[in-house]
Amino acid sequence: MTMFSKLPTYLTLLSAIASAKIYYAGVNESGGEFGVYSAAGINGTGLPGRYGVDYQFINQGTVDIFVSQGVNLFRVAFLLERMCPTEYGLGRKFNETYYNYFEMAINYITDVKGAYAIIDPHNYMRYNGRDTVKNHFARARY
């Protein structure tokens, strides 16, 4: 059997791959999880940070460009310490200002542009600068 005898099979497979429908094509819109360091470089002390200076959620112009090129899925990260500040207690109450900025970003992607958003909480296993993994294993008894 020669290589040319398999050509119809290869062409059929190539045609199937080329005609496959992509339902979701996405990108990451990072920004809301950054800016936790102070000017001195101490983790957790740059919180809550300044919107538009230390962090922002999306650049609407960038979202517009991606959507015009067929992207319909955006991962938008936020920092847990900003959304649920330690002075409120984790999970008790949101920082309304930070939440509103995040909500505006998600609404722009979903309502205005008609795309999808993945809501992605971050804290890098360190809540307010403390290493939660190390603390967990220090307390665990095996």
Side-chain angles (χ1 to χ4, degrees):
M1 190 179 274
T2 69
M3 180 175 81
F4 293 111
S5 65
K6 294 182 182 181
L7 189 58
T9 303
Y10 292 140
L11 290 176
T12 302
L13 288 173
L14 184 59
S15 173
I17 291 169
S19 65
K21 176 139 176 73
I22 297 174
Y23 292 99
Y24 301 102
V27 296
N28 295 322
E29 282 293 319
S30 293
E33 73 278 25
F34 292 119
V36 298
Y37 290 93
S38 68
I42 301 168
N43 186 22
T45 56
L47 295 172
R50 297 161 293 169
Y51 180 77
V53 175
D54 299 313
Y55 69 92
Q56 70 180 46
F57 289 108
I58 63 169
N59 178 309
Q60 291 181 350
T62 303
V63 171
D64 295 343
I65 291 168
F66 280 126
V67 169
S68 74
Q69 295 177 357
V71 171
N72 65 350
L73 180 66
F74 294 83
R75 179 187 70 94
V76 184
F78 67 87
L79 186 64
L80 194 57
E81 288 88 341
R82 282 197 183 106
M83 191 68 76
C84 302
T86 55
E87 62 265 18
Y88 298 154
L90 184 59
R92 293 196 180 209
K93 178 178 160 184
F94 285 159
N95 174 320
E96 292 298 324
T97 302
Y98 186 75
Y99 176 83
N100 289 335
Y101 286 132
F102 186 70
E103 182 181 36
M104 287 186 322
I106 298 300
N107 287 342
Y108 186 78
I109 290 167
T110 58
D111 295 344
V112 175
K113 301 312 284 184
Y116 297 93
I118 296 172
I119 297 171
D120 187 11
H122 276 245
N123 83 339
Y124 306 102
M125 298 303 290
R126 289 176 203 92
Y127 186 74
N128 200 30
R130 294 192 339 231
D131 187 339
T132 56
V133 173
K134 188 188 322 178
N135 291 338
H136 170 74
F137 286 115
R139 291 189 309 267
R141 300 197 197 293
Y142 296 99

